[in-house]
Amino acid sequence: MMKSFLFVVLMLVTPVLFAEDITILVDGVKKQTLSMDEIRKMKSETIEFFEHVTNSTELYVGVPTSYLFKKVYPEYEQASEVELISSTEYKYLEPMSRIIENMSIMAYDRADNQKFVRFSKTQKMLVPLGPLYHVWNMAGKKNGERLEMRTTYQIIAINFITKHAIALKEGLEDKELTMGLANYKQHCISCHAIGKYGGEIGVDLVKRKVLEKKGGPYILKYILTPNAVNPKTKMLPLPAFKDREEKAKAIVTFLEFMENPNEYFKKNAVRKDSSTFQELKKLMEEIKK
């Protein structure tokens, strides 16, 4: 019933006019602007995307992401991360290695004669996807894999991060802390910034010391079932990963460190000459700049 209703509404939605320029930045510095007309004239591909809301497959047409990146920034593979910036202040950080390894497109239209809109779970309404919508090829993907493939719409700017990145090396002693940062970046930082990184839809949890004020159990419950804590929240629960509780606990661990790193290392007996400490020290210094 929901699927049929959404289909009818999608057909009735009035087309929305978008800004015609996409801003290209490198480490936050504007390098150029690209019009949507220029993008539409580039090499195009059509990919299959699975939409969880309507439980159906959708087709989108756009420019292969790696192709577009190479056009606007030939050295794009040297960037450690790319920040996709939405008109809604949503800023999603994507590892560049994932862009290179996996197939995605910067879509600018549907390829199945449907409107270029989607139902927003947070806004409870249909929203436009343009000017650009970053979507992954979902053909042959299992449900668990699909949950990992995050999409970003209403993209108006692309920021290549080369000089600095909120990242930790693999193989550090404190694996939970490393996993906590990785999951915070994937699921939280687009709305809850840390320092100068991330979006501004939600509060800076570290700056506000939310963990210290509310406690770990409160934060954990908010991550897993936000509506149970605050019925008015627009925040979505952590996706239904098999290990979602482990991921959520790791996020709380990361916030615990960020609020009071010295206490964290004291409590967890992590040596200050360890690779974990050294990497996180550099991370903290970068975030504070």
Side-chain angles (χ1 to χ4, degrees), residues 80-119:
S80 54
E81 295 177 318
V82 62
E83 187 177 46
L84 304 177
I85 303 172
S86 168
S87 60
T88 62
E89 296 185 331
Y90 184 90
K91 297 179 181 179
Y92 185 64
L93 283 170
E94 188 73 65
M96 187 57 73
S97 58
R98 193 171 185 180
I99 296 290
I100 296 169
E101 293 169 4
N102 296 282
M103 181 191 171
S104 68
I105 65 170
M106 287 293 183
Y108 45 72
D109 206 353
R110 290 282 291 266
D112 46 16
N113 297 317
Q114 302 299 314
K115 299 294 183 182
F116 196 46
V117 296
R118 69 174 284 181
F119 183 78

Side-chain angles (χ1 to χ4, degrees), residues 145 159 169 201 249 258:
E145 294 175 308
N159 181 29
K169 295 177 182 176
I201 296 174
K249 288 177 181 177
M258 292 297 294

Side-chain angles (χ1 to χ4, degrees), residues 43-86:
K43 171 184 175 182
S44 66
E45 285 187 12
T46 298
I47 66 172
E48 178 182 298
F49 176 72
F50 182 81
E51 174 55 67
H52 292 277
V53 177
T54 59
N55 196 34
S56 62
T57 297
E58 301 172 348
L59 296 178
Y60 289 92
V61 61
V63 183
T65 307
S66 293
Y67 177 85
L68 174 62
F69 284 6
K70 189 172 183 178
K71 281 283 187 182
V72 298
Y73 183 54
E75 301 84 11
Y76 80 98
E77 292 188 13
Q78 296 176 18
S80 54
E81 295 177 318
V82 62
E83 187 177 46
L84 304 177
I85 303 172
S86 168

Side-chain angles (χ1 to χ4, degrees), residues 8-277:
V8 172
V9 177
L10 286 171
M11 293 299 291
L12 295 175
V13 170
T14 303
V16 180
L17 296 176
F18 306 117
E20 286 300 307
D21 289 335
I22 303 298
T23 303
I24 307 300
L25 308 100
V26 177
D27 295 319
V29 178
K30 181 179 176 180
K31 295 299 181 182
Q32 63 171 297
T33 57
L34 203 64
S35 73
M36 286 304 299
D37 284 340
E38 290 177 286
I39 291 175
R40 290 189 184 96
K41 291 175 183 177
M42 292 182 183
K43 171 184 175 182
S44 66
E45 285 187 12
T46 298
I47 66 172
E48 178 182 298
F49 176 72
F50 182 81
E51 174 55 67
H52 292 277
V53 177
T54 59
N55 196 34
S56 62
T57 297
E58 301 172 348
L59 296 178
Y60 289 92
V61 61
V63 183
T65 307
S66 293
Y67 177 85
L68 174 62
F69 284 6
K70 189 172 183 178
K71 281 283 187 182
V72 298
Y73 183 54
E75 301 84 11
Y76 80 98
E77 292 188 13
Q78 296 176 18
S80 54
E81 295 177 318
V82 62
E83 187 177 46
L84 304 177
I85 303 172
S86 168
S87 60
T88 62
E89 296 185 331
Y90 184 90
K91 297 179 181 179
Y92 185 64
L93 283 170
E94 188 73 65
M96 187 57 73
S97 58
R98 193 171 185 180
I99 296 290
I100 296 169
E101 293 169 4
N102 296 282
M103 181 191 171
S104 68
I105 65 170
M106 287 293 183
Y108 45 72
D109 206 353
R110 290 282 291 266
D112 46 16
N113 297 317
Q114 302 299 314
K115 299 294 183 182
F116 196 46
V117 296
R118 69 174 284 181
F119 183 78
S120 168
K121 291 183 181 179
T122 56
Q123 299 179 48
K124 308 299 182 186
M125 61 184 288
L126 287 168
V127 296
L129 293 169
L132 289 176
Y133 179 30
H134 183 229
V135 290
W136 299 91
N137 188 349
M138 296 291 188
K141 298 289 184 183
K142 297 178 181 178
N143 286 337
E145 294 175 308
R146 289 170 179 166
L147 291 175
E148 296 284 357
M149 312 299 274
R150 297 292 299 275
T151 61
T152 307
Y153 54 87
Q154 297 181 354
I155 296 171
I156 58 172
I158 299 169
N159 181 29
F160 297 95
I161 300 175
T162 67
K163 293 182 179 178
H164 311 287
I166 310 179
L168 295 177
K169 295 177 182 176
E170 295 183 2
L172 300 181
E173 295 93 336
D174 198 320
K175 293 186 175 12
E176 185 177 10
L177 199 51
T178 307
M179 182 170 70
L181 172 57
N183 280 280
Y184 192 90
K185 285 170 60 179
Q186 184 174 6
H187 304 290
C188 312
I189 204 169
S190 51
C191 294
H192 297 280
I194 296 179
K196 65 179 183 179
Y197 292 99
E200 299 176 355
I201 296 174
V203 300
D204 184 325
L205 298 174
V206 177
K207 188 176 181 180
R208 294 285 187 90
K209 292 189 177 293
V210 176
L211 183 64
E212 180 182 306
K213 294 174 181 176
K214 298 290 188 177
Y218 174 90
I219 300 295
L220 185 63
K221 187 175 181 180
Y222 213 127
I223 293 171
L224 296 172
T225 55
N227 283 105
V229 181
N230 178 10
K232 295 182 179 180
T233 185
K234 291 184 177 181
M235 178 173 150
L236 298 175
L238 194 68
F241 303 106
K242 287 183 180 180
D243 55 351
R244 71 190 295 262
E245 285 210 23
E246 183 182 358
K247 289 177 181 288
K249 288 177 181 177
I251 291 172
V252 173
T253 296
F254 172 67
L255 289 174
E256 180 185 352
F257 163 77
M258 292 297 294
E259 285 193 11
N260 196 334
N262 290 327
E263 183 63 27
Y264 176 85
F265 283 111
K266 181 180 177 181
K267 187 175 77 171
N268 292 278
V270 179
R271 291 162 43 115
K272 289 193 175 182
D273 61 351
S274 70
S275 59
T276 301
F277 181 84

